[in-house]
Amino acid sequence: MPWVVGVSGASGTPYAAAVLRGLLAAGESVDLVVSRASRLTLLDETRIAFRDAHWQEDLREWLARGADGKPGTFDVDVAAVRHWAAGDLAAGPSSGSYPVKGMLVVPASTACVAGVALGLSKDLLQRAASVTLKERRPLVMAVRETPLNGQTLRHLVALDEAGAVVLPASPAFYAGATHIQDLVDFVAGRVLDAAGVRHGLYRRWKGELGGGSAPGPGPGSEPEPGESRD
């Protein structure tokens, strides 16, 4: 069964790319939903136009880029990805009878958070997330916004109470980050942790102060699933 990955319009398309690479490296299959707003963000952050008619070519180019925008940083096979148009409310993930493991929304904009919390289902991304909740499947919302107002905080509490994992896109520094890709991979790794997917995207805390100062692999040398970065 695949994981549904929804990409909404918040800034943070490198987070989505890192999560997708991590899922594929772990041998998972992916059902991908890229919202209309996120295509504008992707174009702004990477200069890549994500087109329904050429989605494999555009996805391959996107996932090959590092967080610093350098093309050709990663070599990714997208054969295990199935793309659904954001406006296709008859798509597989819109139904609870369509078998999936769960859904990861990365990044999750405040508009997306509100839509899912209120059950609006205005597009396939929101509908798939609502279905994930009603079917009691894992839903991870990697919210990417700051500061947060009271209304959004109430929506996040509602999602938590409904069973979703609210995961702010908040990188940590104890893992010894030396490159922007390390910070992105930390957030992506925490998303995969919440989903129970094995990965080696960041160095885990082992209870030793200064453990993150040891040199690790640079961007483009992604470990195998389950392999530690130390």
Side-chain angles (χ1 to χ4, degrees):
M1 292 190 294
W3 284 95
V4 180
V5 175
V7 185
S8 76
S11 176
T13 55
Y15 292 131
V19 166
L20 288 166
R21 287 193 298 264
L23 287 170
L24 295 174
E28 302 284 349
S29 56
V30 173
D31 277 18
L32 178 63
V33 182
V34 181
S35 76
R36 290 190 176 93
S38 69
R39 297 175 192 223
L40 296 176
T41 307
L42 183 63
L43 182 63
D44 182 58
E45 293 183 346
T46 69
R47 299 296 185 264
I48 296 172
F50 193 91
R51 304 159 294 175
D52 287 338
H54 304 279
W55 69 267
Q56 287 178 310
E57 173 187 341
D58 298 336
L59 178 63
R60 192 176 295 110
E61 181 183 359
W62 176 25
L63 298 189
R65 290 189 180 229
D68 58 2
K70 182 179 178 181
T73 301
F74 299 95
D75 183 15
V76 184
D77 183 358
V78 299
V81 179
R82 182 174 186 177
H83 168 256
W84 300 93
D88 184 5
L89 291 177
S94 69
S95 172
S97 66
Y98 183 77
V100 301
K101 292 183 177 180
M103 183 171 183
L104 316 175
V105 182
V106 187
S109 67
T110 53
C112 176
V113 165
V116 177
L118 298 174
L120 298 182
S121 296
K122 74 168 190 175
D123 60 9
L124 178 59
L125 195 160
Q126 291 185 15
R127 171 61 184 168
S130 295
V131 166
T132 302
L133 287 176
K134 81 178 183 69
E135 297 294 328
R136 302 296 191 266
R137 295 167 180 159
L139 173 65
V140 181
M141 301 286 289
V143 60
R144 217 304 307 159
E145 185 62 89
T146 190
L148 297 172
N149 62 27
Q151 187 176 43
T152 298
L153 290 170
R154 285 187 286 272
H155 290 153
L156 292 173
V157 170
L159 289 175
D160 175 78
E161 292 175 343
V165 174
V166 175
L167 195 152
S170 177
F173 296 85
Y174 62 77
T178 58
H179 189 277
I180 186 174
Q181 189 66 54
D182 298 323
L183 298 175
V184 168
D185 284 348
F186 179 88
V187 172
R190 295 298 286 152
V191 171
L192 296 179
D193 286 346
V197 176
R198 294 182 64 195
H199 66 87
L201 288 175
Y202 67 90
R203 180 185 287 112
R204 297 183 182 278
W205 175 251
K206 295 184 178 180
E208 299 175 1
L209 293 177
S213 62
S221 54
E222 186 171 311
E224 293 298 318
E227 179 184 342
S228 172
R229 275 197 183 263
D230 9 80

